Amino acid sequence: MSWITQTLTSTIGRKLVMALTGLFLVSFLFVHLSGNFLIFRADGGRAFNEYSQFMSSAGIVRVLEIIMVLGFAIHIYTSFVLTRRNQKARPQGYAFSQPSANSSWFSRNMGLSGSLVLIFLLLHLRTFWYTYKFGDIPTVTYEGTEYKDMAYLVKTVFQQEWWLSIFYVIIMVLLSFHLMHGFGSAFQTLGIRHKKYTPLIEKIGIAIAILVPAGFAAFPIYFLLTR
Amino acid sequence: MKLTLKIWRQKHANDKGKLVDYNVDINPEMSFLEMLDDLNEKLAERGEEPIAFDHDCREGICGTCNLYINGRPHGPIRTTTCQLHMRHFHEGESIVIEPWRARSFPVVKDLIVDRSAFDRIVQAGGYISVNTGSAPDANEIPIPKQIADEAFNSAACIACGACVAACKNASAMLFVGAQISKFALVPQGKAEKKIRAEKMVAQMDAEGFGACTNTGACSAECPVEISMTNIARLNREYIGAKLTSDNV
């Protein structure tokens, strides 16, 4: 084995991969969320539709899209490899254990919160990305150019399929749990721990874990309330 | 003080093993291990096999005693099993007593596990290669008090294995982090810090310990309060060593 594969397949190396891809995916959340807020503009969905068109056609976005998919794939694959290894490390469990005495629920259930977010992600892609790309959705024309009416799709899905909206909100709570541990943990894995910075990193982690999922949950909640 | 003890009994490494109930009436002034000694004497009188458990100094410094008591390593308070006293339990309580559970710590008999995996990790690099001449005078190597204290805090690890027992992944990162830190912080250990990090982590992985999820359970249960800083330093030392050492 070369030193690179040796490093990347060691337990610490795999955790390093988890941390780097995890932090990268957090940056994706910010981009996604900031674009979404365009739907709240009182312009009949024009800014949001133009943004959607840009996101599905611009060359640089396509490149970033591939990197993002790789980021997800590597993060998910590595989590499976690590989970399998960790399960094998304790083939026989305790008859009685009190894990809540020494650690947080969030930190012990990253696999659960992550898996539910993954299921959500597939459903989310099917509902919006697939429909936008290949589905039959109405179009609008702004100054002679035709755009797919993504704003209409989002509004109707969240308003008509109320159960899906509620599912979205629940999953955002789980995303919050995932970030609550994940953000700070990534820095610890990178070896960044210092009394000057760690308290700040932990506070930023909690802020991200609350504000970002709350921002995403605002969309289904808004459309549910304006039915 | 009447108690019901549910103790893991396993005749040998390949035996399936099970929890067995023992009703005891003890003096609340006893230590946890004295209670087990007392029970063992009674079992011997009855012609039954005494319960096998590890213990040595009974002063909380050797790291030999290791029992998973009521769902936590070393029981409800932060100490070693030998320093735990029965006043921390109440009349009529049921106490579940199990061995450390980890693939790398196989059960030898009853509550005794084989922790030689830790020894092999230390043998892989937990030392300084100086084998000639006498020890230098301590004052000849200036080390700031703060750094000396930090290295000493890491060196306080007694290798009891509570970190592995507490970890949901049976990870040995806190133990290895403490071993790495006590050398990496002081000039004597710095010369070999890269090869040490590489070899000790390779051995840790080869022994089959899990990876670190940073839950902090290890540090929270550590009887000598080894901090999570040791794990961050281990990550830093290992990644740095892999990126910059001459070992291809």
Side-chain angles (χ1 to χ4, degrees):
Chain A
M1 262 198 300
S2 83
W3 70 271
I4 298 173
T5 46
Q6 208 181 56
T7 308
L8 293 180
T9 55
S10 68
T11 48
I12 294 179
R14 288 202 193 277
K15 285 299 296 186
L16 178 69
V17 170
M18 284 304 279
L20 292 173
T21 52
L23 289 175
F24 168 69
L25 293 174
V26 170
S27 74
F28 156 73
L29 289 179
F30 277 100
V31 174
H32 190 1
L33 183 61
S34 56
N36 281 10
F37 277 124
L38 289 174
I39 206 169
F40 284 147
R41 266 211 192 172
D43 60 357
R46 179 170 174 173
F48 188 69
N49 285 336
E50 285 173 346
Y51 163 75
S52 303
Q53 173 91 322
F54 170 77
M55 290 305 272
S56 65
S57 57
I60 180 72
V61 181
R62 301 314 305 273
V63 174
L64 289 173
E65 204 171 50
I66 293 165
I67 297 173
M68 183 198 73
V69 170
L70 276 176
F72 270 108
I74 295 168
H75 193 73
I76 294 161
Y77 166 76
T78 309
S79 76
F80 276 110
V81 174
L82 282 168
T83 304
R84 274 301 293 142
R85 185 189 166 94
N86 294 342
Q87 285 168 345
K88 273 198 235 160
R90 178 168 291 136
Q92 183 169 9
Y94 294 105
F96 179 56
S97 198
Q98 291 194 71
S100 55
N102 54 39
S103 54
S104 71
W105 188 91
F106 312 121
S107 69
R108 294 193 310 273
N109 290 283
M110 292 296 277
L112 175 70
S113 56
S115 302
L116 288 166
V117 170
L118 174 60
I119 292 169
F120 158 81
L121 187 67
L122 297 173
L123 185 71
H124 181 56
L125 284 172
R126 172 68 191 85
T127 310
F128 294 115
W129 180 82
Y130 183 84
T131 310
Y132 186 81
K133 285 257 172 188
F134 310 108
D136 190 22
I137 67 169
T139 57
V140 281
T141 307
Y142 306 123
E143 291 159 20
T145 314
E146 202 177 31
Y147 291 88
K148 288 185 180 177
D149 199 348
M150 187 62 171
Y152 174 79
L153 177 69
V154 173
K155 183 171 181 269
T156 47
V157 165
F158 281 144
Q159 288 188 339
Q160 288 168 7
E161 298 174 38
W162 58 269
W163 55 270
L164 189 72
S165 302
I166 290 169
F167 177 69
Y168 266 56
V169 176
I170 293 169
I171 291 298
M172 285 310 113
V173 175
L174 283 147
L175 176 65
S176 172
F177 291 172
H178 202 69
L179 292 169
M180 199 69 87
H181 176 69
F183 189 80
S185 175
F187 285 90
Q188 166 84 359
T189 300
L190 292 170
I192 300 168
R193 189 185 181 95
H194 193 280
K195 58 182 169 189
K196 278 183 184 165
Y197 313 113
T198 302
L200 180 68
I201 290 169
E202 279 165 3
K203 281 190 193 90
I204 292 172
I206 292 169
I208 289 176
I210 293 169
L211 297 176
V212 171
F216 281 117
F219 304 102
I221 291 171
Y222 172 78
F223 289 114
L224 270 184
L225 295 178
T226 55
R227 282 215 299 168
Chain B
M1 189 181 189
K2 286 194 172 66
L3 296 166
T4 304
L5 306 179
K6 296 173 183 296
I7 302 176
W8 184 260
R9 299 303 309 260
Q10 184 173 339
K11 287 192 179 72
H12 50 81
N14 298 319
D15 182 26
K16 205 166 165 285
K18 61 175 192 291
L19 285 173
V20 177
D21 285 12
Y22 296 92
N23 292 309
V24 293
D25 190 358
I26 55 136
N27 182 336
E29 303 291 320
M30 281 177 170
S31 78
F32 201 86
L33 295 185
E34 281 168 345
M35 172 188 71
L36 290 180
D37 291 336
D38 191 58
L39 173 60
N40 272 347
E41 276 177 28
K42 289 185 175 112
L43 289 179
E45 279 168 20
R46 295 207 299 255
E48 290 177 39
E49 179 83 10
I51 298 148
F53 62 93
D54 260 336
H55 59 98
D56 192 6
C57 75
R58 298 207 179 194
E59 290 178 350
I61 53 174
C62 76
T64 307
C65 57
N66 57 330
L67 297 178
Y68 201 80
I69 301 160
N70 267 357
R72 297 178 68 181
H74 298 304
I77 61 161
R78 197 178 192 178
T79 184
T80 54
T81 299
C82 63
Q83 298 299 300
L84 176 65
H85 288 77
M86 298 318 294
R87 58 177 173 268
H88 296 290
F89 298 87
H90 58 78
E91 178 70 33
E93 195 172 345
S94 277
I95 305 174
V96 183
I97 309 168
E98 295 177 81
W100 284 176
R101 295 286 187 202
R103 179 164 69 119
S104 315
F105 288 166
V107 173
V108 177
K109 185 180 180 178
D110 293 340
L111 300 168
I112 296 180
V113 297
D114 177 0
R115 282 172 290 173
S116 55
F118 270 11
D119 300 337
R120 289 188 291 274
I121 293 173
V122 170
Q123 282 160 10
Y127 52 81
I128 292 167
S129 308
V130 175
N131 48 17
T132 54
S134 56
D137 183 36
N139 296 326
E140 276 180 15
I141 306 166
I143 302 170
K145 172 90 168 85
Q146 201 189 346
I147 292 174
D149 285 349
E150 211 181 330
F152 192 79
N153 285 342
S154 300
C157 171
I158 53 175
C160 66
C163 44
V164 174
C167 177
K168 75 180 184 72
N169 307 333
S171 171
M173 287 286 282
L174 192 69
F175 167 74
V176 179
Q179 307 307 312
I180 290 281
S181 293
K182 71 182 180 191
F183 291 119
L185 284 163
V186 291
Q188 297 94 323
K190 281 200 170 113
E192 293 169 292
K193 69 175 203 160
K194 289 180 188 174
I195 187 79
R196 178 181 305 114
E198 289 182 302
K199 283 189 169 177
M200 289 182 86
V201 171
Q203 190 62 38
M204 172 183 86
D205 285 356
E207 295 291 348
F209 291 104
C212 177
T213 305
N214 301 321
T215 66
C218 52
S219 182
E221 297 291 5
C222 176
V224 291
E225 303 179 23
I226 302 291
S227 75
M228 291 294 284
T229 305
N230 290 276
I231 292 182
R233 188 179 292 107
L234 170 58
N235 287 326
R236 208 156 60 224
E237 290 291 328
Y238 178 73
I239 296 163
K242 277 293 177 192
L243 287 174
T244 62
S245 81
D246 291 333
N247 311 307
V248 181

